[in-house]
Amino acid sequence: MQSKATTVMQYLAELPADRRATVEAVRAFLRATVDRDVEEGMQYGMIGFYVPLRVFPAGYHASPGTPLPYINLAAQKHGCSLYLMAAGHPAIERLLREGFARAGKRLDLGKSCLRFKRVEDLALDVIAEAIRRVPSGEWVKRYEAARAGAHRAKTRKPAATPRRKRRAPASR
């Protein structure tokens, strides 16, 4: 459920009390954890922590003029979601899986979406370590490398397919 709120305060105000308390707690944790080049605001109908255009002028390729998403936090229909963009990297995914297991927490992780119902469901120290391992500057480098790779793949000429030899017609 995407919000039409234009500010974080409006977004929080429209949430039910229990969901608001959870989102506010995770938001406070993120604000204390992300590096100083990250800004907070609304992005894609949820709370966004992003690399602003003053730091990364190229912005997000899919939406020119939009700051590069880094972490997003949303209240969903059946719980909450924390979108850690770097979680798609194998080392970060492994860190999350192993860390949650050590903490005795169930990890519900998609490609970059960590789903939870309560703050107590999260291993906040593990999430903080993931964020520290991929600060915003490192995220920009990974993002640019991925975009360059995607561009090279699109412009690369496909390999010629070998021609099949025709069989001579069978004589009868």
Side-chain angles (χ1 to χ4, degrees):
M1 87 186 156
Q2 213 176 41
S3 171
K4 302 231 185 284
T6 57
T7 69
V8 173
M9 290 302 129
Q10 285 175 344
Y11 181 82
L12 293 170
E14 68 186 21
L15 298 176
D18 61 332
R19 203 72 53 82
R20 183 179 325 113
T22 299
V23 170
E24 284 177 336
V26 175
R27 176 180 174 243
F29 157 76
L30 291 171
R31 289 171 60 108
T33 306
V34 297
D35 60 82
R36 62 183 169 81
D37 282 337
V38 174
E39 291 182 2
E40 177 190 33
M42 291 300 294
Q43 262 192 334
Y44 305 103
M46 58 189 133
I47 299 172
F49 292 86
Y50 46 80
V51 182
L53 296 172
R54 69 176 167 72
V55 174
F56 183 56
Y60 185 45
H61 77 282
S63 184
T66 301
L68 180 64
Y70 178 54
I71 299 171
N72 290 85
L73 173 62
Q76 305 287 351
K77 185 176 181 180
H78 297 290
C80 297
S81 296
L82 183 60
Y83 296 88
L84 299 166
M85 302 311 165
H89 189 276
I92 300 302
E93 182 180 345
R94 187 171 44 257
L95 169 83
L96 291 169
R97 290 193 184 287
E98 292 172 358
F100 268 67
R102 272 193 313 277
K105 307 272 184 182
R106 180 181 166 274
L107 178 66
D108 184 358
L109 181 67
K111 180 118 178 141
S112 68
C113 176
L114 198 160
R115 291 171 288 276
F116 62 98
K117 292 197 184 279
R118 304 166 306 141
V119 179
E120 297 79 23
D121 297 337
L122 299 173
L124 293 176
D125 59 329
V126 176
I127 295 169
E129 180 60 25
I131 293 169
R132 278 192 293 276
R133 287 198 189 177
V134 187
S136 63
E138 177 64 23
W139 171 237
V140 168
K141 288 177 190 171
R142 289 181 184 195
Y143 175 77
E144 286 181 310
R147 293 291 307 139
H151 178 71
R152 279 193 302 274
K154 281 184 183 176
T155 59
R156 190 174 303 137
K157 199 173 189 178
T161 53
R163 292 189 176 252
R164 294 173 70 184
K165 291 183 181 178
R166 289 189 180 203
R167 295 172 113 180
S171 54
R172 294 191 185 207

